[in-house]
Amino acid sequence: MPNIIELKNVTKEYDNDGVVTPVLHGISLDIPQGQFISIMGPSGSGKSTLMNILGFLDVITDGTYFFNGRDVSKLSDDELADMRGANIGFVFQTFNLLPRTTVYENVMLPLVYSNIAASHRHKLVTDAIENVGLSHRTNNYSNQLSGGERQRVAIARALIRNPDVILADEPTGNLDSKSGEAVMDLLLNLNKNQGHTVILVTHETYTAEYAERIVRIKDGLVLRDERNGHRRSREDGQPLK
Protein backbone atom coordinates (compact mmCIF):
# COMPACT_ATOMS: atom_id res chain seq x y z
CA MET A 1 0.00 0.00 0.00
CA PRO A 2 1.20 3.57 -0.65
CA ASN A 3 2.27 5.68 2.30
CA ILE A 4 -0.41 8.01 3.61
CA ILE A 5 2.11 9.68 5.96
CA GLU A 6 5.81 10.34 5.38
CA LEU A 7 7.95 12.12 7.97
CA LYS A 8 11.59 12.85 7.16
CA ASN A 9 13.97 14.16 9.83
CA VAL A 10 11.19 16.07 11.59
CA THR A 11 12.22 18.28 14.48
CA LYS A 12 10.09 20.34 16.82
CA GLU A 13 11.18 23.13 19.14
CA TYR A 14 9.12 25.41 21.36
CA ASP A 15 10.27 28.98 21.96
CA ASN A 16 9.00 30.50 25.19
CA ASP A 17 10.27 34.08 25.60
CA GLY A 18 13.59 33.18 24.04
CA VAL A 19 13.98 29.88 25.88
CA VAL A 20 14.09 27.17 23.23
CA THR A 21 13.01 23.67 24.23
CA PRO A 22 13.68 20.94 21.66
CA VAL A 23 11.16 18.06 21.79
CA LEU A 24 11.58 16.04 18.59
CA HIS A 25 15.11 15.50 17.33
CA GLY A 26 14.78 14.10 13.81
CA ILE A 27 11.84 11.70 13.50
CA SER A 28 11.53 9.73 10.27
CA LEU A 29 8.41 7.62 9.90
CA ASP A 30 6.43 6.16 7.00
CA ILE A 31 2.88 4.92 7.60
CA PRO A 32 1.20 2.96 4.78
CA GLN A 33 -2.46 3.54 4.07
CA GLY A 34 -4.64 1.09 6.01
CA GLN A 35 -2.08 0.25 8.69
CA PHE A 36 -2.81 0.00 12.43
CA ILE A 37 0.21 1.45 14.22
CA SER A 38 0.89 2.10 17.91
CA ILE A 39 3.21 4.87 19.05
CA MET A 40 4.52 4.17 22.54
CA GLY A 41 6.67 6.17 24.89
CA PRO A 42 6.95 7.36 28.50
CA SER A 43 5.85 10.79 29.65
CA GLY A 44 8.09 13.42 28.10
CA SER A 45 9.12 11.20 25.19
CA GLY A 46 7.50 13.47 22.58
CA LYS A 47 4.65 11.16 21.60
CA SER A 48 1.94 13.77 22.27
CA THR A 49 3.86 16.37 20.25
CA LEU A 50 4.22 13.85 17.44
CA MET A 51 0.48 13.12 17.55
CA ASN A 52 -0.33 16.83 17.35
CA ILE A 53 1.91 17.17 14.30
CA LEU A 54 0.39 14.12 12.60
CA GLY A 55 -3.10 15.53 13.21
CA PHE A 56 -2.28 19.05 11.94
CA LEU A 57 -2.74 20.52 15.43
CA ASP A 58 0.89 21.68 15.46
CA VAL A 59 3.55 22.35 12.84
CA ILE A 60 7.09 21.07 12.46
CA THR A 61 10.18 23.20 13.05
CA ASP A 62 12.31 21.49 10.41
CA GLY A 63 12.19 18.43 8.15
CA THR A 64 9.30 17.39 5.91
CA TYR A 65 5.81 16.01 6.43
CA PHE A 66 3.89 14.65 3.46
CA PHE A 67 0.26 13.57 3.84
CA ASN A 68 -1.14 11.73 0.82
CA GLY A 69 1.76 13.14 -1.15
CA ARG A 70 1.05 16.74 -0.13
CA ASP A 71 3.73 18.81 1.63
CA VAL A 72 1.99 19.87 4.84
CA SER A 73 4.67 22.43 5.72
CA LYS A 74 3.53 24.57 2.77
CA LEU A 75 -0.04 24.93 4.02
CA SER A 76 -1.61 27.94 5.72
CA ASP A 77 -3.47 27.68 9.03
CA ASP A 78 -6.80 27.64 7.19
CA GLU A 79 -5.60 24.92 4.82
CA LEU A 80 -4.37 22.87 7.78
CA ALA A 81 -7.76 23.23 9.44
CA ASP A 82 -9.46 22.03 6.27
CA MET A 83 -7.09 19.05 6.03
CA ARG A 84 -7.69 18.21 9.67
CA GLY A 85 -11.46 18.32 9.33
CA ALA A 86 -11.58 16.25 6.17
CA ASN A 87 -8.85 13.69 6.82
CA ILE A 88 -8.36 13.14 10.56
CA GLY A 89 -10.75 11.68 13.13
CA PHE A 90 -9.67 12.27 16.74
CA VAL A 91 -10.44 10.03 19.72
CA PHE A 92 -9.23 11.39 23.06
CA GLN A 93 -8.85 9.84 26.51
CA THR A 94 -11.26 12.39 28.00
CA PHE A 95 -13.97 11.84 25.33
CA ASN A 96 -14.46 15.63 24.83
CA LEU A 97 -18.24 15.31 24.52
CA LEU A 98 -20.61 18.18 25.20
CA PRO A 99 -22.57 17.61 28.43
CA ARG A 100 -26.37 17.84 28.47
CA THR A 101 -26.24 17.24 24.73
CA THR A 102 -27.59 14.15 23.00
CA VAL A 103 -25.54 11.46 21.33
CA TYR A 104 -26.99 12.59 18.00
CA GLU A 105 -25.97 16.22 18.58
CA ASN A 106 -22.45 15.27 19.68
CA VAL A 107 -21.87 13.14 16.59
CA MET A 108 -23.32 15.89 14.36
CA LEU A 109 -20.85 18.47 15.67
CA PRO A 110 -18.08 18.09 13.02
CA LEU A 111 -20.66 18.64 10.26
CA VAL A 112 -21.89 22.00 11.56
CA TYR A 113 -19.23 24.00 9.70
CA SER A 114 -18.74 21.57 6.82
CA ASN A 115 -19.99 22.04 3.27
CA ILE A 116 -21.97 18.79 3.45
CA ALA A 117 -25.59 19.33 2.48
CA ALA A 118 -28.00 19.44 5.41
CA SER A 119 -30.20 16.87 3.70
CA HIS A 120 -27.34 14.34 3.83
CA ARG A 121 -26.22 15.01 7.39
CA HIS A 122 -28.94 13.00 9.13
CA LYS A 123 -27.96 9.79 7.34
CA LEU A 124 -24.27 10.33 8.08
CA VAL A 125 -25.01 10.79 11.78
CA THR A 126 -27.36 7.82 12.11
CA ASP A 127 -24.98 5.57 10.14
CA ALA A 128 -22.04 6.59 12.36
CA ILE A 129 -24.02 5.92 15.54
CA GLU A 130 -25.18 2.56 14.20
CA ASN A 131 -21.60 1.72 13.26
CA VAL A 132 -20.56 1.86 16.93
CA GLY A 133 -23.61 -0.03 18.17
CA LEU A 134 -25.38 2.87 19.90
CA SER A 135 -28.56 3.36 17.87
CA HIS A 136 -30.57 2.68 21.03
CA ARG A 137 -28.82 5.62 22.74
CA THR A 138 -29.28 8.21 19.98
CA ASN A 139 -31.43 10.55 22.06
CA ASN A 140 -29.69 10.02 25.39
CA TYR A 141 -27.58 12.81 26.84
CA SER A 142 -23.85 12.16 27.01
CA ASN A 143 -23.87 12.37 30.82
CA GLN A 144 -26.36 9.47 30.90
CA LEU A 145 -23.86 7.10 29.28
CA SER A 146 -21.20 4.81 30.71
CA GLY A 147 -17.54 5.58 30.03
CA GLY A 148 -17.34 2.91 27.33
CA GLU A 149 -20.46 4.26 25.63
CA ARG A 150 -19.11 7.80 25.72
CA GLN A 151 -15.90 6.67 24.06
CA ARG A 152 -17.93 4.92 21.36
CA VAL A 153 -19.80 8.19 20.78
CA ALA A 154 -16.42 9.90 20.42
CA ILE A 155 -15.43 7.28 17.84
CA ALA A 156 -18.71 7.80 15.95
CA ARG A 157 -17.97 11.54 15.91
CA ALA A 158 -14.47 10.82 14.62
CA LEU A 159 -15.93 8.71 11.80
CA ILE A 160 -18.60 11.17 10.70
CA ARG A 161 -16.60 12.58 7.77
CA ASN A 162 -15.07 9.23 6.82
CA PRO A 163 -11.50 10.31 7.61
CA ASP A 164 -8.43 8.67 6.13
CA VAL A 165 -6.79 8.45 9.56
CA ILE A 166 -8.15 7.83 13.05
CA LEU A 167 -5.83 9.29 15.70
CA ALA A 168 -6.55 7.72 19.09
CA ASP A 169 -4.79 9.28 22.07
CA GLU A 170 -4.90 6.92 25.09
CA PRO A 171 -8.50 5.96 24.19
CA THR A 172 -8.85 3.42 27.03
CA GLY A 173 -7.15 5.50 29.73
CA ASN A 174 -10.40 6.35 31.56
CA LEU A 175 -12.12 2.99 31.04
CA ASP A 176 -12.34 -0.27 32.96
CA SER A 177 -10.74 -3.30 31.33
CA LYS A 178 -13.96 -4.67 29.78
CA SER A 179 -14.96 -1.32 28.25
CA GLY A 180 -11.37 -0.79 27.11
CA GLU A 181 -11.37 -4.12 25.28
CA ALA A 182 -14.65 -3.22 23.56
CA VAL A 183 -13.22 0.11 22.38
CA MET A 184 -10.05 -1.55 21.09
CA ASP A 185 -12.12 -4.20 19.28
CA LEU A 186 -14.05 -1.40 17.61
CA LEU A 187 -10.86 0.34 16.45
CA LEU A 188 -9.54 -2.99 15.21
CA ASN A 189 -12.74 -3.58 13.23
CA LEU A 190 -12.54 -0.10 11.69
CA ASN A 191 -9.02 -0.95 10.55
CA LYS A 192 -9.47 -4.55 9.40
CA ASN A 193 -12.93 -4.38 7.87
CA GLN A 194 -13.31 -0.75 6.83
CA GLY A 195 -9.75 0.11 5.88
CA HIS A 196 -9.17 3.11 8.15
CA THR A 197 -5.57 3.89 9.03
CA VAL A 198 -5.41 3.85 12.84
CA ILE A 199 -2.65 5.59 14.82
CA LEU A 200 -2.82 4.72 18.50
CA VAL A 201 -0.81 6.80 20.97
CA THR A 202 -0.43 4.91 24.23
CA HIS A 203 1.84 3.99 27.11
CA GLU A 204 0.01 0.68 27.69
CA THR A 205 1.54 -2.48 26.24
CA TYR A 206 -1.83 -4.23 26.28
CA THR A 207 -3.55 -1.75 23.96
CA ALA A 208 -0.44 -1.29 21.81
CA GLU A 209 -0.52 -5.00 20.96
CA TYR A 210 -3.74 -4.57 18.98
CA ALA A 211 -1.60 -2.87 16.32
CA GLU A 212 0.33 -4.64 13.58
CA ARG A 213 3.30 -2.31 14.13
CA ILE A 214 4.70 -0.71 17.26
CA VAL A 215 6.93 2.37 17.19
CA ARG A 216 8.66 3.20 20.48
CA ILE A 217 9.98 6.70 21.00
CA LYS A 218 12.11 8.15 23.76
CA ASP A 219 13.62 11.60 24.22
CA GLY A 220 12.23 12.72 20.87
CA LEU A 221 13.79 9.91 18.85
CA VAL A 222 12.55 6.62 17.41
CA LEU A 223 13.99 3.94 19.65
CA ARG A 224 12.45 0.92 17.90
CA ASP A 225 10.11 0.35 14.96
CA GLU A 226 8.99 -3.24 14.61
CA ARG A 227 6.23 -5.48 13.40
CA ASN A 228 4.08 -6.84 16.23
CA GLY A 229 4.30 -10.63 16.26
CA HIS A 230 1.81 -10.96 19.15
CA ARG A 231 -1.09 -8.91 17.86
CA ARG A 232 -4.16 -9.10 20.08
CA SER A 233 -7.72 -9.68 18.97
CA ARG A 234 -10.74 -10.18 21.19
CA GLU A 235 -12.91 -10.99 18.19
CA ASP A 236 -12.00 -14.67 18.34
CA GLY A 237 -9.95 -14.81 21.54
CA GLN A 238 -6.75 -15.49 19.62
CA PRO A 239 -3.84 -13.28 18.57
CA LEU A 240 -3.84 -12.15 14.96
CA LYS A 241 -1.18 -13.62 12.73
Side-chain angles (χ1 to χ4, degrees), residues 11 14 54 89 114 118 133 141 172 209 237:
T11 65
Y14 292 101
L54 293 174
S114 74
Y141 292 106
T172 64
E209 288 180 348

Side-chain angles (χ1 to χ4, degrees), residues 10-225:
V10 165
T11 65
K12 179 62 183 178
E13 297 176 346
Y14 292 101
D15 188 336
N16 185 13
D17 293 330
V19 178
V20 176
T21 304
V23 179
L24 301 181
H25 303 280
I27 297 279
S28 293
L29 189 65
D30 292 340
I31 302 177
Q33 187 173 354
Q35 189 169 74
F36 191 146
I37 177 174
S38 289
I39 298 175
M40 295 191 71
S43 296
S45 63
K47 65 181 186 295
S48 294
T49 298
L50 178 58
M51 187 204 75
N52 288 339
I53 287 171
L54 293 174
F56 313 122
L57 294 169
D58 206 346
V59 295
I60 64 176
T61 300
D62 200 3
T64 58
Y65 175 14
F66 284 86
F67 186 93
N68 266 338
R70 191 175 184 185
D71 188 350
V72 174
S73 65
K74 307 290 186 186
L75 303 182
S76 67
D77 288 346
D78 287 344
E79 288 172 321
L80 285 173
D82 288 341
M83 285 274 284
R84 184 167 60 246
N87 296 284
I88 307 292
F90 291 95
V91 181
F92 296 102
Q93 177 179 347
T94 53
F95 316 134
N96 289 356
L97 302 181
L98 297 178
R100 298 182 300 281
T101 305
T102 66
V103 168
Y104 185 96
E105 291 165 334
N106 269 286
V107 175
M108 170 71 82
L109 200 59
L111 302 182
V112 172
Y113 299 107
S114 74
N115 57 6
I116 297 171
S119 58
H120 187 48
R121 293 180 186 181
H122 175 72
K123 178 171 172 50
L124 289 175
V125 174
T126 54
D127 284 353
I129 294 171
E130 182 180 359
N131 205 17
V132 299
L134 286 177
S135 295
H136 62 297
R137 294 292 205 183
T138 299
N139 296 315
N140 283 101
Y141 292 106
S142 59
N143 56 2
Q144 296 175 319
L145 307 179
S146 68
E149 287 173 330
R150 277 181 277 175
Q151 192 59 289
R152 283 153 66 192
V153 174
I155 292 172
R157 184 182 57 194
L159 293 174
I160 192 68
R161 296 187 66 178
N162 193 30
D164 294 308
V165 174
I166 297 172
L167 258 176
D169 183 17
E170 304 280 6
T172 64
N174 286 335
L175 304 178
D176 60 63
S177 58
K178 184 177 180 180
S179 298
E181 288 172 7
V183 165
M184 291 309 302
D185 283 345
L186 180 54
L187 290 173
L188 183 63
N189 175 63
L190 293 170
N191 171 250
K192 285 176 58 184
N193 299 326
Q194 298 189 31
H196 292 280
T197 305
V198 177
I199 303 174
L200 172 71
V201 178
T202 183
H203 69 278
E204 298 175 332
T205 300
Y206 178 83
T207 53
E209 288 180 348
Y210 276 81
E212 60 193 281
R213 176 184 172 197
I214 300 176
V215 175
R216 302 176 191 273
I217 67 173
K218 184 178 181 181
D219 299 329
L221 292 166
V222 173
L223 199 62
R224 283 202 312 244
D225 183 349

